């Protein structure tokens, strides 16, 4: 994965060895997201996806790994509000921390995310551009361990895509 920070923007880029349509679906369908979203040791017990412009994805990540110490049993709720969808090329959404009812956590940074899916000779390159209100807001999520979390998450996506393609 390639990552770079430009002021208040975090850009992540990674190539996945799978067709663009499949990678796009992995980011948009609950049955896929439940298999890979979140760091290793975390599950997605709640995953409601209304994938349309104006729709919302509301989810809960839960730590099921006793080896993760204080994180074990912890829940982290999130919410994405879809703004623009171009199948299978682009998804734009605002990502929020939330509670179980979907109320936005006002004290936590929100992110304007643009996901771009580009066909390559080997599969699909995904570019994730996350724009924060300030560089300090970006630093806040980086200090929470976001890079390790997203690296784990995208590694799980690699495994999920491989599993799907081997079983078809």
């Amino acid at each position: 994965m390639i990552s770079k920070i430009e002021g208040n923007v975090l850009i992540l880029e990674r190539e996945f060895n799978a067709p663009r349509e499949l990678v796009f679906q992995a980011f948009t369908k609950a049955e896929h997201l439940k298999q890979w979203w979140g760091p290793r040791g975390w599950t997605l017990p709640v995953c409601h996806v209304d994938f349309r412009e104006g729709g919302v994805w509301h989810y809960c990540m839960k730590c099921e790994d006793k080896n993760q110490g204080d994180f074990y049993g912890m829940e982290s709720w999130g919410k994405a509000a879809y703004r623009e969808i171009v199948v299978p090329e682009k998804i734009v959404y605002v990502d929020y921390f939330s509670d179980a009812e979907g109320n936005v956590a006002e004290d936590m940074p929100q992110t304007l995310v643009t996901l771009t899916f580009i066909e390559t000779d080997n599969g699909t390159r995904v570019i994730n551009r996350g724009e924060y209100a300030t560089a300090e807001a970006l630093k806040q999520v980086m200090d929470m361990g976001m890079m390790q979390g997203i690296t784990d998450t995208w590694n799980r996506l690699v495994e999920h895509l491989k599993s799907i393609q081997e079983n078809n």
Side-chain angles (χ1 to χ4, degrees), residues 1-164:
M1 179 164 52
I2 299 167
S3 65
K4 60 185 169 192
I5 294 175
E6 297 174 354
N8 63 328
V9 177
L10 172 64
I11 300 167
L12 306 170
E13 193 173 316
R14 184 158 179 182
E15 190 161 327
F16 296 93
N17 187 11
R20 181 165 71 165
E21 290 73 18
L22 178 58
V23 177
F24 190 87
Q25 285 179 9
F27 278 85
T28 62
K29 296 190 180 300
E31 61 267 26
H32 286 294
L33 289 160
K34 286 180 180 182
Q35 302 301 314
W36 67 273
W37 187 264
R40 212 167 289 286
W42 292 66
T43 61
L44 214 60
V46 177
C47 183
H48 302 291
V49 180
D50 179 9
F51 187 67
R52 62 181 174 83
E53 291 180 7
V56 169
W57 171 36
H58 187 223
Y59 62 92
C60 173
M61 295 188 306
K62 183 172 183 177
C63 183
E64 305 283 358
D65 180 0
K66 291 180 177 164
N67 295 322
Q68 293 191 25
D70 290 345
F71 289 112
Y72 177 68
M74 183 179 177
E75 290 184 350
S76 178
W77 287 85
K79 179 177 170 178
Y82 296 111
R83 288 198 175 167
E84 182 184 354
I85 297 169
V86 181
V87 179
E89 300 169 10
K90 181 166 80 167
I91 306 167
V92 179
Y93 62 94
V94 181
D95 188 45
Y96 304 95
F97 289 88
S98 77
D99 63 15
E101 287 73 47
N103 300 306
V104 172
E106 299 293 343
D107 58 333
M108 295 297 289
Q110 64 185 43
T111 317
L112 176 61
V113 177
T114 301
L115 285 171
T116 308
F117 301 82
I118 301 166
E119 282 186 88
T120 66
D121 291 341
N122 299 317
T124 307
R125 184 171 19 153
V126 175
I127 301 170
N128 179 327
R129 183 182 191 281
E131 184 176 340
Y132 294 80
T134 63
E136 292 74 27
L138 171 55
K139 183 181 182 322
Q140 182 181 352
V141 295
M142 294 298 278
D143 289 348
M144 292 167 59
M146 189 184 65
M147 278 310 298
Q148 181 183 346
I150 195 72
T151 301
D152 260 8
T153 298
W154 284 17
N155 286 342
R156 290 179 66 198
L157 174 57
V158 167
E159 294 161 10
H160 176 63
L161 293 167
K162 183 177 180 191
S163 168
I164 289 172

